[in-house]
Amino acid sequence: MRLQLTSPDRIWIALFCTWLFILSGTVSPFFGSPGAWQALRLMDLLNTRNEKLGQLRNEIGRLQTQVSALEQSRYAQEREIRRVLGYAAPDELIFDFSAE
């Protein structure tokens, strides 16, 4: 038994195939529509950028906390100066385990 397609069925199938072809993004250079594949890539890129944005916001919050501590606490200032310059406080002991 063979399936017989009538003329309206063939027209609907042709329209559906054309719609899928345009939706795939194959003709995007001609029509400017992004297509489904590009939309999926753009959504993935958006998710990646949102994750990076969240990480950067956390880093900004951490740095703002550190700035406020340095502005308000003399102990934090002294600790940071010693860390940057490599000095030790009067009550600190330094153990050097590096091999020369």
Side-chain angles (χ1 to χ4, degrees):
M1 178 172 198
R2 191 174 159 168
L3 180 65
Q4 295 290 330
L5 294 177
T6 61
S7 182
D9 292 338
R10 289 181 183 176
I11 292 173
W12 280 111
I13 290 173
L15 286 173
F16 184 71
C17 289
T18 304
W19 177 73
L20 283 177
F21 183 69
I22 292 172
L23 184 65
S24 71
T26 307
V27 292
S28 64
F30 305 110
F31 295 116
S33 65
W37 296 118
Q38 187 175 2
L40 290 173
R41 284 190 304 243
L42 289 175
M43 290 300 291
D44 186 45
L45 180 62
L46 177 65
N47 291 336
T48 303
R49 296 292 167 97
N50 283 337
E51 290 173 7
K52 181 70 174 176
L53 179 64
Q55 292 172 357
L56 291 174
R57 284 184 176 160
N58 289 339
E59 179 72 12
I60 288 172
R62 187 186 63 77
L63 291 173
Q64 285 175 341
T65 303
Q66 187 177 5
V67 165
S68 66
L70 286 171
E71 288 175 346
Q72 298 171 0
S73 172
R74 182 172 173 83
Y75 174 75
Q77 292 171 357
E78 289 176 1
R79 185 183 66 222
E80 186 65 19
I81 290 169
R82 287 194 314 270
R83 186 190 68 79
V84 170
L85 297 178
Y87 295 153
D91 59 344
E92 290 180 334
L93 295 175
I94 298 177
F95 296 96
D96 186 11
F97 296 106
S98 62
E100 294 190 22

